[in-house]
Amino acid sequence: MHQGKVIAVGQEAIDENEKILIFFGKGVTDGLRPYSVIQEIEQAEDIELAVGGTILFGEQEYHIMYVGHLANQNLQTIQHISFVFSEVPTDKLSSSVYLTPATLPEITEGMTITYS
């Protein structure tokens, strides 16, 4: 189990119609910052997400249904990951993690994200 902390939420990061959250570490570019949730994770290089695992956004629990082949590498190196809150489609995003339930969690600055 690893934990990250939300240090900023971009003003365009949450869109109820999109059902996707894009997370980056502190090194996010200025162009992506408004659309991103910025997180800080100690020892991100040790995280290995897998189908059947869980992600907690604060106390809100989500189950991992699919992990794209680039998702762990991006999370470990630049703390970037895209969370998609939907059923797993035929055309999956290679850098994304698909989670259920298919509802966006409430995200706030200072909250803990638990990867397990």
Side-chain angles (χ1 to χ4, degrees):
M1 175 173 67
H2 294 79
Q3 292 188 324
K5 181 179 179 181
V6 174
I7 57 174
V9 179
Q11 60 199 53
E12 304 290 326
I14 301 170
D15 181 346
E16 287 292 328
N17 297 319
E18 289 298 318
K19 302 288 188 200
I20 188 168
L21 293 174
I22 301 169
F23 279 62
F24 274 99
K26 294 188 292 185
V28 66
T29 65
D30 289 340
L32 291 172
R33 187 172 297 277
Y35 307 99
S36 303
V37 176
I38 313 304
Q39 66 180 338
E40 186 172 47
I41 306 171
E42 288 189 30
Q43 298 180 318
E45 63 276 3
D46 295 337
I47 299 174
E48 190 72 34
L49 300 178
V51 172
T54 59
I55 307 288
L56 292 174
F57 299 90
E59 299 297 318
Q60 304 157 93
E61 184 176 61
Y62 288 79
H63 300 279
I64 299 172
M65 305 305 290
Y66 175 80
V67 178
H69 74 275
L70 297 175
N72 280 312
Q73 177 184 344
N74 289 343
L75 184 59
Q76 293 164 357
T77 56
I78 57 174
Q79 298 184 23
H80 164 60
I81 195 152
S82 296
F83 292 114
V84 181
F85 301 87
S86 74
E87 296 297 320
V88 180
T90 303
D91 289 332
K92 303 168 207 62
L93 300 171
S94 62
S95 62
S96 296
V97 171
Y98 288 78
L99 301 172
T100 59
T103 56
L104 287 175
E106 184 177 328
I107 303 292
T108 57
E109 274 187 39
M111 80 181 312
T112 300
I113 309 299
T114 304
Y115 299 91
S116 58

